[in-house]
Amino acid sequence: MGPVRRSRDPGPEQRSDIRAANRDLPAATRIARLFVAAPASVVVALPAFMLKRCSGTGQPEAVFVAGTAFTGCMVLCPGVLIAAFGT
């Protein structure tokens, strides 16, 4: 038998600790994260829109792609900021 693989998924106790740590952050820190994540998401969404539009697709599809890029970046940015600077 080979080595036992362990999941990287934190247990329920650790997940609740992470959520509690985020709730304990000062409002200024949470707002600062938002002010960093929103412009970064716009910077990602605009080229996605322009590239899709230049490829010859219609505007509604390009807007959909840009919205998806914006949403994806808004989801990833807080995780990256937390990983880089900690809670």
Side-chain angles (χ1 to χ4, degrees):
M1 288 186 119
V4 176
R5 290 187 141 170
R6 293 194 176 141
S7 173
R8 292 186 182 200
D9 184 35
E13 312 85 36
Q14 190 175 2
R15 277 192 292 254
S16 65
D17 290 344
I18 292 170
R19 288 185 195 122
N22 282 333
R23 278 192 301 263
D24 294 339
L25 289 175
T29 303
R30 284 185 260 146
I31 291 172
R33 282 186 189 169
L34 179 66
F35 282 142
V36 170
S41 297
V42 169
V43 167
V44 169
L46 281 175
F49 175 80
M50 290 187 289
L51 288 171
K52 193 68 175 175
R53 192 74 174 123
C54 289
S55 70
T57 60
Q59 187 171 358
E61 187 176 345
V63 169
F64 179 74
V65 168
T68 304
F70 180 84
T71 304
C73 192
M74 282 297 284
V75 169
L76 291 175
C77 276
V80 171
L81 290 171
I82 290 170
F85 301 110
T87 59

